[in-house]
Amino acid sequence: MYSGMQIVTETLHRIRKAALQLYTLFVDIVTQARNEASHPKDGWRSMSRTKSGTKVSNMLESVNGRSKQIENKQGFSQHDAEFMLEQNYVQSPKDRLWQLEFENIYLEKRLRKLKYRGTKAIGLILTSTGGMALIISYFSSSLVLTYIGLGLTLWGAIVFYVVPWRNTPEEITQVVTVGLIKTLDVLLVSIGYTGRTIFHYKKNEEGQAQGYMFIPYDSAYELPSDEELAKRHVFYDTPKGISIIAPSHGLVELFERELDVNFATVDLAYIRENLPRLLSKDLKYVDNFSIENVDNVMQVNITGRSSAYTCDFVNRQTHLGSHLGCPLCAALALVYSKVTARPVVIKESNVMNNSIETSYITLDV
Amino acid sequence: MGFIFSLWDLGAWLGVSSFMMLVASEVISPDYSRINTLVDLHKMRRVAIALSVAFLLIAALNVVYMI
């Protein structure tokens, strides 16, 4: 009986002790929450701990240093000292401006992350859930789970494969392209090389891998000999001119990659048939595209606001623009040169109402 | 324990999925700006065609077994 009473007393004592501990814990939590609610800079602290708020954390570090000094001198706790200093810090208009600026940077970064987070996470979730469903379906012999697993895995894989490509805004590509052409134009004009640009591929190169532009000093349609070109010089004396890698060769490579073909191995009929579809439907570079070919002249009609704008700008704003060509016209000149294995010159390029009409001629040099 | 669907079930599922994807790749817009997502319809069509080929192979296999 006595031992039973003792057990009950001990149990009650333990319960009371546990209740007291719980009460103390609860009071601590409430006090901490109140402090956090009344402390306007705690948002700052959480921000300073993030990767994006490096600048903010630097600012707070200086505050921390000063707060420690006050803590030592006046006997305040570090938290209170920080609070006092941050209050003073924020009160100054300049500092408040800094604070807002940093906050703005941080929020902009967060917004960008949220906006362009991609589809990796959703793809991963779908695939892993599908995989789990398939595993469970195997062990539980469930047909429903199998179908669910197959569906989720497939769509997860598709989200990985199909979705994550991004577009660059039209304005950016236009500005970058036009800027590069303008620089090239100014450079060539300033050193006096103002002849008609000849687009060509070196004959001795295997598979005609790299497209070149030869800009003669005068109006002669001549190219250096194959032996001279093989030396890979930039400046040539006979005929006088500059040979540089064509900036639009990247586009030609893209066309080849998309069509899975080497243009050196196909004829113009292939180009007439496949290039319009590639440019208008697959790459969506232009709205409409057609090629006509008579003898050694190729006439190209392109419809598309973006490319017409760039072409028009290059024609109007640059000295060599009409025969140096916009990126698309120059790329088509390279394609024509590669297919025919002959040097090509842009004969004429006109832009009207969002459409470009460019004609090319092959040279017998 | 084990998967209780047959090869023909898998083929049917592939057929339906590929059909849906093929229709989607032709019909849907590649750009859904509300969530800033772009779909590469070219790739999607490629996947749909690959699934269709898998379905046709399974169907052919079934026909061979039946004969």
Side-chain angles (χ1 to χ4, degrees):
Chain A
M1 183 69 187
Y2 175 75
S3 63
M5 279 294 286
Q6 201 175 12
I7 289 166
V8 170
T9 315
E10 273 180 13
T11 313
L12 280 171
H13 181 69
R14 276 181 192 166
I15 289 169
R16 187 172 157 269
K17 203 175 167 184
L20 267 171
Q21 278 175 347
L22 273 173
Y23 175 73
T24 320
L25 193 69
F26 176 73
V27 168
D28 280 352
I29 290 167
V30 169
T31 316
Q32 200 178 343
R34 274 182 187 163
N35 280 343
E36 278 175 9
S38 63
H39 200 301
K41 294 291 283 178
D42 272 1
W44 269 102
R45 284 201 189 85
S46 62
M47 195 174 108
S48 70
R49 279 192 293 271
T50 63
K51 207 174 171 183
S52 314
T54 321
K55 287 184 179 179
V56 183
S57 68
N58 289 340
M59 194 177 83
L60 286 176
E61 269 172 25
S62 68
V63 172
N64 281 339
R66 287 164 66 190
S67 71
K68 274 177 189 168
Q69 287 173 6
I70 290 184
E71 184 190 345
N72 293 337
K73 282 179 187 171
Q74 300 180 8
F76 290 140
S77 72
Q78 192 185 349
H79 191 269
D80 290 339
E82 269 181 35
F83 177 73
M84 275 176 62
L85 257 169
E86 285 166 21
Q87 284 293 312
N88 293 333
Y89 200 81
V90 172
Q91 276 168 9
S92 154
K94 195 183 166 188
D95 294 335
R96 177 73 183 145
L97 200 67
W98 270 90
Q99 178 196 346
L100 288 171
E101 206 171 303
F102 288 140
E103 207 169 358
N104 192 29
I105 292 166
Y106 168 71
L107 289 172
E108 268 179 9
K109 276 186 179 174
R110 276 201 66 186
L111 183 69
R112 201 161 47 241
K113 267 187 186 171
L114 285 169
K115 229 177 162 184
Y116 300 103
R117 62 187 156 193
T119 50
K120 207 184 261 180
I122 190 78
L124 206 67
I125 290 166
L126 282 175
T127 318
S128 51
T129 316
M132 285 294 288
L134 278 176
I135 291 165
I136 295 166
S137 78
Y138 181 79
F139 287 112
S140 62
S141 301
S142 164
L143 192 63
V144 176
L145 271 178
T146 309
Y147 278 117
I148 290 171
L150 280 172
L152 287 175
T153 315
L154 175 77
W155 282 104
I158 286 169
V159 163
F160 267 128
Y161 179 65
V162 171
V163 175
W165 55 259
R166 305 230 173 97
N167 275 359
T168 312
E170 195 180 42
E171 292 80 10
I172 294 173
T173 47
Q174 275 175 355
V175 168
V176 171
T177 314
V178 165
L180 284 172
I181 295 170
K182 222 171 169 179
T183 309
L184 188 63
D185 177 69
V186 169
L187 181 75
L188 290 171
V189 171
S190 64
I191 55 176
Y193 289 79
T194 53
R196 261 183 190 278
T197 310
I198 303 171
F199 297 90
H200 69 102
Y201 280 84
K202 287 179 182 173
K203 283 174 187 164
N204 56 348
E205 277 190 357
E206 262 182 51
Q208 298 184 339
Q210 181 67 59
Y212 288 87
M213 294 194 317
F214 183 78
I215 301 115
Y217 189 76
D218 46 30
S219 54
Y221 289 151
E222 280 180 73
L223 274 179
S225 63
D226 293 340
E227 292 78 30
E228 283 292 312
L229 284 171
K231 289 175 186 168
R232 292 172 181 268
H233 291 159
V234 175
F235 291 93
Y236 290 90
D237 291 328
T238 46
K240 197 174 178 185
I242 294 177
S243 178
I244 50 172
I245 288 170
S248 298
H249 183 72
L251 268 178
V252 181
E253 281 181 337
L254 176 71
F255 298 162
E256 286 185 326
R257 204 165 48 240
E258 287 292 320
L259 291 170
D260 196 19
V261 73
N262 183 356
F263 286 140
T265 60
V266 296
D267 56 0
L268 271 173
Y270 177 88
I271 298 295
R272 263 202 308 275
E273 198 179 317
N274 291 286
L275 210 54
R277 183 180 52 81
L278 175 74
L279 286 173
S280 59
K281 288 188 178 169
D282 296 341
L283 294 176
K284 294 179 181 63
Y285 193 32
V286 297
D287 296 338
N288 202 10
F289 183 85
S290 65
I291 301 175
E292 288 164 30
N293 174 232
V294 183
D295 297 332
N296 66 336
V297 178
M298 183 173 84
Q299 172 88 29
V300 174
N301 295 308
I302 304 161
T303 314
R305 196 175 62 88
S306 174
S307 42
Y309 170 82
T310 312
C311 202
D312 188 40
F313 188 91
V314 169
N315 286 354
R316 280 189 294 106
Q317 300 284 322
T318 58
H319 290 89
L320 308 176
S322 58
H323 52 262
L324 198 62
C326 69
L328 183 57
C329 292
L332 292 171
L334 286 170
V335 170
Y336 191 34
S337 169
K338 198 166 185 177
V339 172
T340 56
R342 287 157 79 182
V344 168
V345 169
I346 297 175
K347 189 184 163 195
E348 205 177 2
S349 182
N350 296 313
V351 183
M352 208 183 286
N353 296 333
N354 289 343
S355 65
I356 309 166
E357 279 182 18
T358 309
S359 52
Y360 304 89
I361 46 170
T362 53
L363 302 174
D364 296 315
V365 287
Chain B
M1 202 162 74
F3 293 117
I4 57 166
F5 68 100
S6 62
L7 191 66
W8 178 240
D9 291 331
L10 183 68
W13 178 79
L14 282 174
V16 172
S17 300
S18 63
F19 176 73
M20 279 165 62
M21 282 178 68
L22 210 57
V23 170
S25 69
E26 290 294 334
V27 173
I28 63 166
S29 162
D31 180 15
Y32 185 57
S33 54
R34 270 187 73 182
I35 52 168
N36 220 319
T37 303
L38 291 160
V39 177
D40 190 343
L41 295 179
H42 195 59
K43 279 184 177 177
M44 196 171 176
R45 206 169 302 139
R46 230 182 277 169
V47 173
I49 289 166
L51 292 186
S52 308
V53 169
F55 162 68
L56 288 173
L57 279 175
I58 289 169
L61 214 65
N62 269 285
V63 170
V64 169
Y65 278 133
M66 279 166 72
I67 293 167

